């Protein structure tokens, strides 16, 4: 405090008293009276200054307590008016700051809830590229339990392209879009968009989309189109070639023409089967097929399927035997169950050499109906077993086409069984035969009795 603010209040009363005494005709007493007045002023100033200091100290303690989350000060009836005014101003400021802090807290909670509810992963970095915030989805996408906040991009994802994109966003304000392939136990493909924060805020933000399934479906679609084109091209080329040969003059050749017509007929049948299988598979995958679930006696369904393939089997000297109990009743669609068994039996006869046998066995296991189609055919190598239910997948492509297969039969079997809450499995060894096992829900005893 400047010295004049202390001296003037002290000297002014003593000076006025001394002048007044001198004016009243007693100049000799002016100095002592002035000194006494000055002493009294000093005492009064000391007392008032002490009281003011105590009230200010109390106000400072209560203000610090509020800042640390404590309550307000206890009212003091002896407080000075100036201190009370200052305390009122501090109370008003504290109220406004508390309200603003509540708003900021609510905004932060809302932002956190929005970020954590997103399926996309998000991180925010500071001006140096260090991650300062992220949402829960990012940890799930990256499949990591390590800390992310406080890390640089390279420490979280070891990819130079991502690191460079983040640095460009932080330093140059450039946006980037890139696609990352993460290796590991479960490989993933991520689409990442990196943008600067903007609005004069330093740093960048990155949004991570998991496009693994999308890329897989795109590959399936491309493979499907390529396979369909290839499968259609073979019979169409044969039909066109032989038709042109017949048009060129072979139609009049009594020996050649019938054989060419037979080939054209056979290829057209194969083309028709392929189109029918494609349509059937398309309806199954799009769930456009309405199955009528009811009790299905599996012995009858197996007998009808076996009767269909038996002429072909007898032509190869094969034996088709059925061992399905008459009381084995499943829940399913009769037509779909028969088609499943027919596809499996047709494959068994087709890939079993002459003189072999095909056995159909049925049983109830763990509350489900189980039917096994066992053959003594060429068998399947283990590396093919996980893929034989894929569309157009063939173990031996050349041999399958020669035997008239479309490559869709087992895929149809899988989708039909899934639609009936069933499943199919396969066991096989090369040159030892194969066993395809289907599982279907078992009909309740009361229902099977009425069926």
């Amino acid at each position: 405090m400047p010295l004049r603010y202390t001296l003037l209040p002290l000297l002014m009363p003593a000076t006025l008293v001394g002048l007044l005494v001198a004016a009243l005709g007693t100049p000799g007493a002016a100095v002592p009276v002035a000194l006494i007045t000055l002493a009294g002023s000093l005492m009064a100033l000391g007392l008032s200054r002490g009281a003011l200091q105590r009230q200010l100290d109390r106000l400072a303690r209560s203000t610090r307590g509020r800042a640390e989350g404590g309550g307000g000060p206890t009212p003091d009836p002896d407080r000075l008016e100036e201190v009370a005014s200052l305390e009122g101003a501090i109370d008003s400021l504290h109220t406004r700051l508390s309200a603003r802090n509540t708003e900021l807290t609510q905004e932060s909670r809302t932002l956190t809830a929005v970020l954590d509810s997103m399926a996309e992963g998000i991180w925010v970095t500071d001006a140096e590229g260090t991650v300062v915030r992220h949402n829960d989805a990012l940890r799930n996408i990256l499949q990591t339990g390590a800390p992310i906040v406080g890390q640089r991009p390279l420490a979280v994802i070891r990819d130079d392209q991502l690191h460079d994109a983040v640095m460009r966003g932080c330093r140059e304000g450039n946006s980037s879009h890139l696609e990352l392939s993460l290796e590991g136990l479960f490989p993933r493909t991520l689409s990442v968009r990196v943008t600067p924060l903007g609005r004069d805020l330093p740093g960048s933000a990155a949004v991570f989309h998991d496009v693994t399934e999308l890329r897989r479906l795109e590959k399936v679609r491309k493979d499907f189109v390529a396979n369909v084109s290839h499968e259609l091209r073979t019979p169409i080329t044969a039909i066109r070639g032989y038709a042109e040969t017949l048009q060129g003059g072979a139609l009049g050749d009594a020996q050649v023409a019938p054989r060419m017509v037979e080939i054209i007929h056979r290829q057209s049948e194969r083309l028709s089967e392929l189109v029918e299988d494609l349509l059937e598979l398309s309806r199954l995958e799009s769930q456009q097929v309405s199955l009528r679930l009811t009790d299905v006696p599996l012995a009858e369904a197996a007998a009808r399927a076996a009767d269909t393939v038996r002429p072909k089997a007898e032509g190869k000297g094969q034996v088709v035997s059925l061992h399905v109990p008459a009381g084995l009743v499943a829940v399913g669609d009769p037509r779909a169950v028969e088609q499943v068994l027919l596809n499996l039996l047709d494959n068994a006869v087709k890939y079993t050499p002459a003189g072999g046998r095909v056995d159909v066995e049925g049983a109830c296991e763990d509350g489900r109906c189980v039917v096994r189609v066992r053959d003594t055919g060429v068998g399947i190598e283990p590396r093919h077993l996980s893929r034989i239910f894929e569309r157009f997948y063939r173990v031996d492509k050349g041999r399958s086409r020669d035997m008239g297969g479309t490559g869709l039969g087992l895929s149809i079997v899988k989708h039909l069984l899934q639609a009936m809450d069933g499943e199919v499995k396969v066991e096989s060894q090369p040159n030892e035969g194969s066993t395809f096992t289907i599982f279907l829900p078992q009909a309740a005893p009361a229902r099977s009795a009425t069926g």
Side-chain angles (χ1 to χ4, degrees), residues 358-373:
V358 177
D359 294 302
V360 181
E361 303 168 355
C364 178
E365 299 177 4
D366 299 326
R368 294 194 297 177
C369 294
V370 180
V371 178
R372 292 181 175 86
V373 178

Side-chain angles (χ1 to χ4, degrees), residues 65-398:
R66 283 189 173 189
E68 296 171 359
T74 302
D76 184 2
D78 297 329
R79 63 184 173 179
L80 299 175
E81 183 179 350
E82 292 80 359
V83 175
S85 177
L86 177 60
E87 188 173 330
I90 292 176
D91 288 343
S92 177
L93 178 61
H94 179 267
T95 301
R96 290 197 297 270
L97 289 177
S98 297
R100 182 55 180 163
N101 184 61
T102 301
E103 292 177 3
L104 292 175
T105 301
Q106 184 61 36
E107 290 178 3
S108 177
R109 290 178 177 176
T110 302
L111 177 60
T112 300
V114 170
L115 291 178
D116 288 341
S117 65
M118 296 177 63
E120 297 82 7
I122 297 177
W123 79 26
V124 179
T125 69
D126 58 17
E128 300 301 322
T130 302
V131 179
V132 296
R133 187 169 188 172
H134 67 86
N135 64 348
D136 293 340
L138 180 64
R139 190 178 297 279
N140 295 331
I141 290 175
L142 299 181
Q143 297 181 0
T144 178
I148 298 178
V149 173
Q151 302 293 329
R152 302 297 292 270
L154 273 177
V156 181
I157 302 175
R158 296 191 175 278
D159 188 276
D160 293 333
Q161 290 183 346
L162 177 61
H163 179 268
D164 294 341
V166 172
M167 291 298 102
R168 286 195 302 270
C170 294
R171 298 171 182 174
E172 304 173 12
N174 295 333
S175 299
S176 305
H177 182 269
L178 60 155
E179 194 164 287
L180 309 178
S181 295
L182 304 184
E183 304 297 333
L185 183 60
F186 301 101
R188 296 174 309 288
T189 302
L190 305 181
S191 175
V192 186
R193 177 74 175 177
V194 181
T195 58
L197 292 180
R199 296 185 180 179
D200 299 327
L201 294 175
S204 68
V207 181
F208 296 77
H209 299 263
D210 190 343
V211 295
T212 306
E213 183 65 14
L214 178 62
R215 295 295 178 262
R216 187 190 70 82
L217 292 176
E218 288 178 353
K219 183 178 183 303
V220 169
R221 179 182 59 82
K222 292 178 181 178
D223 292 344
F224 177 73
V225 172
N227 285 327
V228 168
S229 301
H230 182 75
E231 295 295 333
L232 292 175
R233 185 184 300 114
T234 301
I236 289 175
T237 300
I239 293 172
R240 181 178 180 181
Y242 283 111
E244 290 176 350
T245 302
L246 291 173
Q247 285 181 337
L251 188 60
D253 191 328
Q255 294 182 348
V256 176
R259 185 171 63 87
M260 291 186 175
V261 171
E262 175 61 26
I263 293 175
I264 291 175
H265 178 68
R266 188 167 63 248
Q267 292 297 330
S268 65
E269 285 185 337
R270 179 187 172 194
L271 187 61
S272 177
E273 291 176 0
L274 179 60
V275 172
E276 288 297 327
D277 283 351
L278 281 172
L279 292 175
E280 179 71 13
L281 188 58
S282 176
R283 288 191 293 266
L284 286 170
E285 291 185 339
S286 60
Q287 298 182 348
Q288 295 180 358
V289 176
S290 179
L291 298 181
R292 183 176 59 88
L293 298 182
T294 184
D295 293 352
V296 181
L298 294 180
E300 298 178 9
R304 288 192 296 269
D307 289 341
T308 303
V309 301
R310 189 166 277 116
K312 184 189 296 185
E314 292 175 350
K316 298 176 65 175
Q318 297 172 350
V319 176
V320 178
S321 60
L322 303 179
H323 307 281
V324 181
L328 187 62
V329 181
V331 177
D333 181 271
R335 173 185 169 276
V337 172
E338 185 174 339
Q339 184 175 354
V340 165
L341 293 172
L342 179 59
N343 285 4
L344 295 178
L345 282 170
D346 185 66
N347 278 351
V349 172
K350 189 182 301 179
Y351 296 108
T352 298
R357 63 180 295 115
V358 177
D359 294 302
V360 181
E361 303 168 355
C364 178
E365 299 177 4
D366 299 326
R368 294 194 297 177
C369 294
V370 180
V371 178
R372 292 181 175 86
V373 178
R374 196 188 315 271
D375 63 58
T376 58
V378 295
I380 305 170
E381 295 183 10
R383 61 190 177 93
H384 297 294
L385 294 178
S386 62
R387 300 191 59 190
I388 60 172
F389 295 102
E390 296 179 8
R391 294 173 294 185
F392 295 114
Y393 188 81
R394 289 187 173 95
V395 175
D396 187 334
K397 296 183 179 180

Side-chain angles (χ1 to χ4, degrees), residues 1-9:
M1 180 181 295
L3 189 60
R4 64 177 180 273
Y5 293 133
T6 303
L7 292 179
L8 286 176

